[in-house]
Each structure stands twice: as structure tokens, then as C-alpha cells.
Amino acid sequence: MHLPRQLGALHDLPDTPEAYDAVLAGVVEQALARLTPEGNLEHPDGGDDIGDTSLGVTSLLALAWQRGKDPRLPEAVRRSLAFHLRERVYTEDNPGYPNLKVRDRGLPYARYTLAAGAHPIGDWPSTVWALLQAVNLLDLADGLVEDERRAELVQVAHGYWRWLTEATFFNPQEAGNQAIGCVVGGLMLARHLPAPDGHPVRERALRLYEEEIRAHRVSDRGALLPPEHSGAYDNNYGPISLSFLAQAHRISGAEIFAEDGDALARYIDARLPGGGFDNGGPRYSEQHSGFESVLGLRYFSARIGSDLGRYRGDTRWGRHAVKPDGGIDGHFAWMLVWQIQDTTPWHRTPSTAPARHQLRSGTVSVAFDDRMTPSLVEAAGTYYLPAAVNRQHGFGPVTDGFLYCRPMGEVRVRDVHADGLTAKLVTKPVVGRDHVLRHVRSLYVTDGASLWMTVAVERLPGTPYLLAGLPYATDDGDRVRRTADGEVTAAGELRLTHPESDGVDHFDARAERTQEEAAFALAADPRGYGNPDLGWSHLVGSTALEAEPAPGAPDDLHVFAVRYGPAGPFAPAFAADGSELTVRTEVFTAVIGEPAGDAHGDPELTLRAV
């Protein structure tokens, strides 16, 4: 089975002016065929996320007119704008909406669902989206919208801003993408207000970003990130936040947005393997955005000098939001407007600078979590997730059911490039159930086609093995296919085990269940509101690669050696000189320094090709 949403790399979508004009031409034909006598451009099957969608299509028609002057479009824009102002602007409080600070203010807002009292929780983001559709249309209104109607739209947009920032709590869903979007709306709105009104709106927007978003950033993998639904990052919403930061910088010139966007972009680059597969987040786990991410990934790929566009997006939404029948939905239409207006080219080559939380060369990638344990390994087109044993997740030595990957002290890292090889040595102190402190030294070496993982630790009691990953998915053209196997070789005996239980807290890679489905099933709250990352952390056991200790290791050590990638001879040899360990394989010789490291305690590593 294929994963449903991780499709092609977003930088593979043509983004020439001619390509975008063809996209807009398709939008125009759909919209003109759909336009009702009342001026409605909503998809007939729209039910939720709907309050701004007709206006979103209107803004796309306005952009198409500015680029091509199709004589059919001015009347369509005027009629559809009149529809939104007449039918989709609400000023009476929505019954049951829980986030108002004051009632009966009469300020305009947009509804997530049109019926009064029906799922009002989404009204805050829907109003942000309506504000963004409105300011985009104001930017494109010249020659299309009469002065009186334009003034009415400015008044409504200003009312949206005031409802978002005065009548309600700011960012009530703790969603960074929504909050930054609101700030962008304020910055864009300020340009359309008279100076006495516009300046305070701009200053308020910048202050909200500083005090309500930036001051509450969450740390993950060495980066400070805008919080997303109470988590540090979501693989659907995180790249969308990056797009909002790009637009905020484009229109305001404020360096704070560029600095924070650079940090988020480098974080995405480090967690993303070369093949663009990703999973994880407090809301949508394996669901991926499409066109909503393009602006940010493209804009910041140029700024940080890396190929962020390798991100596998949902290319069914590669140009704009669509319903299951393929028909256009105006949801998030402003992102398509912005990505067409921005002409930043994709940066398509990887960064060569070493990153603490990433090892990447050729078709091999390792992304590391905060504990410097692999969160994702990619080799030979297959993706390995951390396996689970006794409710413990990760890659590392296991004995008596205890997984040695959670550090008890500072984790040290050394990056080395030599003779076409790229290596990372991670040394972490770990305390086992016997309360003995041991130093786990994990060496990762790649030639761009295979990955060698060598793990050395002071001798363990019992019959230890290396938990070497959960084979989960593999590339299949421009799709990602589920798998339960991979090309892996070990110096000791290697086995692929599967959980004996079929309970939801045991993940069998052979079953037709995705990681996302299992994670939501284990989450405390309903799908769409629960935290799949937290749910997945409740996993008791999983399919797992288990490698026995390598033969020939020094007597005082257990050494495990695994190679991910094409099959072939693999018989590593080991030699000790005091606390130094020499590892010889068919491709390289590495000398791993003693656990105490150099004069500063940092690990020492020398590497050369054979």
C-alpha cells in the first residue's frame, strides 16, 4: 500500500510564469462555470473551513485579471465580492464560541461552519483566513473594484483584525501558523488604512509577534520554533508557518521574520532526509501540506542555501486546495497568490555545512532527535523509524529489556569528512537499571550509498542486542510505499521481529495500518484534535531489526555493527588500544577516541577510506 499524502517533492512542480498562468486559467474556467447568480464561488460540497473560500477564489480571479486582462473577470470579481460582503460577514456572536473576551461588540468575523453554533471553535483561524483573502483582494483591486465597494472591504478587513485582536483571545488554538498568519494580515492591512489607523495596526502586529509568538517559542533539536498546537513542530503546519514568515518578511522588511524563518528552515532541513519523507507533530503526523508550503520552502531555501523543496508534499494540493472530486476550493488561496507574486528561485542543492542533528550524503540521511538518537534513517530508498521495546523508543543497545539511548548527561558530537566519506560520532553517558554509568559511542559513516552504524559500549550483562530500527516505508517513484523490510546487513546475527500482540499499542509493520493511524488511535483526544506524537509514545512494542553483538570485539566492550544499503561482503574488524577503538570495514577505517574525549571532553574521531 502507498502512503496517502506523501507524494512528490514540491520543487518538482513547474513554477514558471507560464505554468502559473496555466494554473490560473484552469481556476478561471472552473470559477466562471461555478459562479451562482448570487455570486457564490464556494465548492458545492463545502461544509467546514468555508467562511473565506468564496473570497479566496475571488482573489485568484483578480490575480488572473491583473496578469491577463480576461474581459470576463471584472464582473465575476464584483459579483463574488458582493456575495461575500452580503452573505459571509457575520457580526452577531456565534452561539457557543468559547474564546470571546467581550460579547456583542458587533465586529465582523468569518465562520468555520456556516450554521450558527455548529462547531464554532474554528472561527478564529477562519477569520484570519478571511482577513488574508481580503487584503490580497485589496492589493489586486485596481481596475476591478469601485471605490465605494473597496472602502467597504477595507472596513470589513479592519473589523476582522479588531475581532481577532480585541474581541477574542489571541491564538486560542496555540497554533503558530494561525498566529503568524494573523500578524501577516495585520501587516498587509496596515498598508490599506489611512496613516493614523495604519501605523497602530502595523505596530500592534509586530508587538503581537514579539510578545505572543516569539516569546513562547518551543525548543527542539537545538532550535527555537513557533509552537504548533502545543508542540514544537508539525510536519504539516511547520512548513506553512515558514510560508507565513516568508510573507511577513517580504511585506514588512523586518529582520526578525527572516531570522526566525532561517532558524525554522535549518531545523526543517536537519530533520528532513534527502528523499523528503517526514512524520511527526502534535496534530497531523503524516499529513502534508502542498502549495501552502511552497512560498516558505522556496524563499528560505535560497536564504539558507539548501534544497528544502525536497519536502514531499501532498501534490494533489500542489497548486491550490481541492475537494475529493478535484474541484477547486478557495481555502488558503492567498498562499497561491503569494507564491505567484514571489519570484525567488528554488535552491536545489544540499547544504555542505555539517549540522548537529543531521548526517546526509548522497541518498543516505540520518535525522537525530534532541537526545541525538536517530529519529529517521534513510538508506537505499527505505525509511526506518525508531523501533519500540518495553515502551522505550529509539536506536541503541538493549539488555534485559532496557534500551540504552536516553542520556544522563551531556551528549557530545564530532563531525568528520574524509576521502568522500561523511561521519558523525555521538557519545552519550547512559545509566542502566543497574545504576552503572556507561558511555555509548555511536559512529555513523556514509559514502552516500550505504550507512554503517557502529555502536560500542562497556560490556553489558545478559544477552544484549542492538535495536536497529523499524523498517516503515520505501520510495516507489514519486510515491512512498509501506514496507516491512529493508536492505540491512549486520556483523552479528540479524533478525527482524514482529510483535506477538495485535493490540493497538503494538505496531506490526506488515499490517495495513499507517504510523499516523496507530498514533491517533493511541492519542487521548479525537482524531484531528489529539496529539499523535504523544499517542505514538505510548507504543509498547513494534516490528524491529535486532542485531547481535559483532564477533571479535575487545573483551571489555560490546560492539554492534550494522550496514544499511546494498548487500555485499560485511565483516568489520575491531581492535582496542587502551580506550581507543579501531573499526575496519570494507570501505573505511575509523579510530574512535576514548569516552572521556579530548582535553575538552569532546569525542575524537579519525577516518580514512580503505
Side-chain angles (χ1 to χ4, degrees):
M1 59 178 289
H2 287 105
L3 297 180
R5 300 180 182 87
Q6 302 214 24
L7 306 176
L10 289 177
H11 65 199
D12 288 343
L13 292 169
D15 61 353
T16 62
E18 295 77 16
Y20 281 132
D21 283 336
V23 171
L24 289 174
V27 169
V28 165
E29 297 309 318
Q30 272 200 58
L32 293 179
R34 179 188 299 172
L35 185 66
T36 68
E38 297 77 22
N40 188 353
L41 285 170
E42 294 163 0
H43 191 283
D45 294 337
D48 53 22
D49 263 327
I50 193 172
D52 66 301
T53 59
S54 181
L55 190 61
V57 180
T58 303
S59 71
L60 293 175
L61 297 183
L63 179 61
W65 186 81
Q66 295 293 356
R67 291 169 69 89
K69 295 299 187 290
D70 185 329
R72 300 173 297 172
L73 295 182
E75 177 62 20
V77 168
R78 287 190 283 268
R79 283 172 54 194
S80 57
L81 172 58
F83 168 81
H84 179 83
L85 295 173
R86 184 180 66 250
E87 303 290 345
R88 294 296 180 258
V89 178
Y90 295 86
T91 55
E92 294 182 358
D93 294 350
N94 198 350
Y97 185 69
N99 299 316
L100 291 175
K101 295 195 294 186
V102 293
R103 296 199 173 276
D104 302 319
R105 285 289 301 274
L107 291 171
Y109 67 94
R111 285 186 177 172
Y112 176 79
T113 300
L114 299 180
H119 200 71
I121 194 70
D123 288 356
W124 201 86
S126 288
T127 303
V128 174
W129 310 155
L131 170 61
L132 292 170
Q133 313 284 26
V135 292
N136 262 356
L137 185 55
L138 288 170
D139 283 351
L140 299 164
D142 287 349
L144 286 173
V145 179
E146 302 89 341
D147 290 346
E148 182 178 349
R149 187 67 81 187
R150 185 185 181 281
E152 185 180 357
L153 182 59
V154 170
Q155 184 178 14
V156 167
H158 196 187
Y160 285 152
W161 171 256
R162 293 186 58 201
W163 187 87
L164 291 164
T165 59
E166 298 174 18
T168 71
F169 290 95
F170 184 79
N171 190 21
Q173 295 184 20
E174 298 182 53
N177 76 98
Q178 298 172 10
I180 305 171
C182 182
V183 167
V184 171
L187 294 172
M188 295 183 70
L189 171 67
R191 304 182 303 178
H192 294 284
L193 296 173
D197 298 324
H199 182 72
V201 168
R202 176 185 166 87
E203 293 305 304
R204 173 72 167 146
L206 293 172
R207 191 164 63 252
L208 282 170
Y209 183 76
E210 285 268 17
E211 298 174 359
E212 299 294 337
I213 302 171
R214 197 168 200 261
H216 298 281
R217 287 176 299 170
V218 180
S219 176
D220 187 46
R221 309 184 195 196
L224 288 174
L225 309 171
E228 190 53 66
H229 288 285
S230 301
Y233 175 82
D234 185 281
N235 66 347
N236 177 37
Y237 289 133
I240 295 175
S241 285
L242 193 65
S243 287
F244 283 128
L245 288 169
Q247 181 67 0
H249 185 242
R250 288 182 67 233
I251 62 174
S252 72
E255 277 304 302
I256 191 172
F257 299 117
E259 293 169 5
D260 291 355
D262 288 349
L264 177 54
R266 290 192 180 97
Y267 170 89
I268 294 173
D269 188 38
R271 72 172 286 141
L272 201 63
F277 170 84
D278 191 18
N279 73 293
R283 279 293 290 272
Y284 286 128
S285 194
E286 287 183 331
Q287 293 189 36
H288 277 51
S289 49
F291 75 101
E292 314 101 296
S293 302
V294 167
L295 173 67
L297 294 171
R298 191 173 66 194
Y299 191 82
F300 285 101
S301 74
R303 284 188 56 90
I304 72 168
S306 194
D307 55 337
L308 295 179
R310 68 187 188 275
Y311 178 93
R312 284 188 182 269
D314 189 340
T315 51
R316 296 171 302 183
W317 278 38
R319 300 303 195 181
H320 46 69
V322 297
K323 291 297 185 183
D325 65 358
I328 186 173
D329 183 345
H331 190 48
F332 271 52
W334 20 269
M335 285 292 193
L336 177 56
V337 173
W338 299 342
Q339 66 168 277
I340 291 176
Q341 292 173 333
D342 179 63
T343 57
T344 304
W346 285 109
H347 184 99
R348 295 179 180 274
T349 56
S351 170
T352 57
R356 178 179 174 89
H357 296 277
Q358 178 192 56
L359 175 71
R360 183 182 173 203
S361 176
T363 59
V364 171
S365 305
V366 185
F368 295 87
D369 63 17
D370 259 339
R371 306 176 306 189
M372 286 306 296
T373 297
S375 61
L376 185 66
V377 169
E378 173 196 27
T382 296
Y383 304 97
Y384 303 84
L385 303 179
V389 56
N390 288 347
R391 293 184 173 85
Q392 304 159 95
H393 300 201
F395 290 74
V398 177
T399 186
D400 191 27
F402 184 85
L403 172 60
Y404 287 78
C405 73
R406 295 172 300 283
M408 181 66 71
E410 190 66 25
V411 180
R412 310 292 185 124
V413 178
R414 175 64 59 90
D415 288 285
V416 172
H417 295 272
D419 302 333
L421 302 170
T422 304
K424 187 183 294 285
L425 174 62
V426 176
T427 302
K428 61 176 74 171
V430 177
V431 174
R433 289 196 175 118
D434 57 6
H435 295 269
V436 174
L437 179 69
R438 293 177 172 85
H439 292 271
V440 178
R441 291 176 287 174
S442 302
L443 173 64
Y444 307 87
V445 180
T446 180
D447 61 357
S450 296
L451 172 71
W452 288 262
M453 181 191 298
T454 306
V455 179
V457 61
E458 292 91 341
R459 199 157 189 87
L460 296 164
T463 55
Y465 63 89
L466 180 73
L467 194 66
L470 158 65
Y472 179 68
T474 190
D475 291 337
D476 186 9
D478 62 355
R479 302 292 303 273
V480 178
R481 177 172 48 82
R482 275 294 311 281
T483 189
D485 205 352
E487 294 182 88
V488 183
T489 310
E493 180 187 344
L494 180 69
R495 56 184 174 265
L496 180 64
T497 65
H498 303 286
E500 295 180 0
S501 170
D502 60 358
V504 69
D505 56 357
H506 290 76
F507 187 81
D508 191 328
R510 298 169 300 180
E512 290 195 0
R513 169 178 274 178
T514 65
Q515 186 270 349
E516 177 185 347
E517 290 168 336
F520 270 113
L522 291 165
D525 295 309
R527 183 180 178 88
Y529 303 96
N531 183 336
D533 272 4
L534 186 58
W536 186 252
S537 71
H538 297 152
L539 194 69
V540 174
S542 74
T543 292
L545 287 161
E546 300 176 356
E548 295 289 332
D555 291 341
D556 60 341
L557 294 177
H558 270 123
V559 179
F560 307 89
V562 175
R563 184 185 62 201
Y564 303 82
F570 183 53
F574 312 98
D577 182 3
S579 295
E580 287 187 345
L581 176 67
T582 299
V583 180
R584 292 184 176 88
T585 74
E586 71 281 10
V587 170
F588 66 87
T589 296
V591 180
I592 302 172
E594 60 177 306
D598 61 15
H600 303 286
D602 291 326
E604 293 185 292
L605 174 65
T606 60
L607 178 72
R608 63 179 177 82
V610 173

